[in-house]
Amino acid sequence: AMSMPPRRNDRGGIDVLLGLRQIGKEDLIDPDERRVGCGIVWGLDEKGSMVVRGVVPRGPASQATPTILMGDLLLSIDGEEVPEDCRPVVSVIAQKLLGKEDSIVTLGLCRPVSVPILPSELAMLTEGSADYFLGMLGNVTCATFHVEIHRFPVQRNDVDEWAREEGTHVVDRSKRFMF
């Protein structure tokens, strides 16, 4: 299957929309070869780290435990660390996030937490008897945890619903991508 290179626009942002089935294209792709994503909308922070900007309702990531929240940082995919600055390797990371339908991907995520950690934060992290550990990321206390996501195709109308709820307060759409 041919993959499109990331399109760079004049603002230098990366404009990639993956994990969405393009109407008409699925007929050309062998179903065994079709790769689907997690239904997470990612952004890049000022250091180039990949940050969760949203989770598509009813998508694969929305059904995972612990719950993935906006602001969670991506640390690893299937045990393989991602670099702090993901900008040069976004397309490589996209390929790792995509996989066969019904396959499982394990994401290592990191979430800034209060000190001391609040009961509500703790409850979310330990949901589904998950393990986490506390550490420092720069000068911020973070909880690191793993979440398994069962991949399946994201429905276009669920993406549209997320986009509607997200509204117009997103400053730079060019720095967001979904897989």
Side-chain angles (χ1 to χ4, degrees), residues 44-164:
L44 294 168
D45 68 9
E46 62 286 346
K47 292 196 195 91
S49 299
M50 284 184 61
V51 185
V52 175
R53 294 284 182 237
V55 175
V56 175
R58 293 171 294 282
S62 73
Q63 299 177 15
T65 50
T67 302
I68 297 170
L69 300 180
M70 280 179 67
D72 287 348
L73 286 164
L74 180 64
L75 295 184
S76 66
I77 304 167
D78 287 332
E80 200 179 324
E81 281 187 27
V82 299
E84 185 181 21
D85 185 355
C86 295
R87 284 170 291 208
V89 290
V90 166
S91 55
V92 177
I93 290 169
Q95 291 309 310
K96 290 182 174 21
L97 288 169
L98 295 170
K100 286 192 169 164
E101 193 167 342
D102 294 326
S103 62
I104 294 174
V105 62
T106 303
L107 303 186
L109 297 171
C110 167
R111 175 177 302 164
V113 290
S114 313
V115 182
I117 192 165
L118 299 172
S120 57
E121 293 174 323
L122 193 60
M124 291 207 82
L125 287 165
T126 53
E127 187 185 14
S129 67
D131 277 337
Y132 73 96
F133 60 91
L134 292 177
M136 297 297 289
L137 194 68
N139 55 358
V140 181
T141 302
C142 286
T144 300
F145 61 100
H146 289 89
V147 58
E148 282 191 353
I149 298 173
H150 293 248
R151 298 179 179 108
F152 58 81
V154 171
Q155 301 303 310
R156 183 72 217 219
N157 49 339
D158 291 338
V159 177
D160 293 342
E161 180 185 317
W162 177 84
R164 274 198 308 278

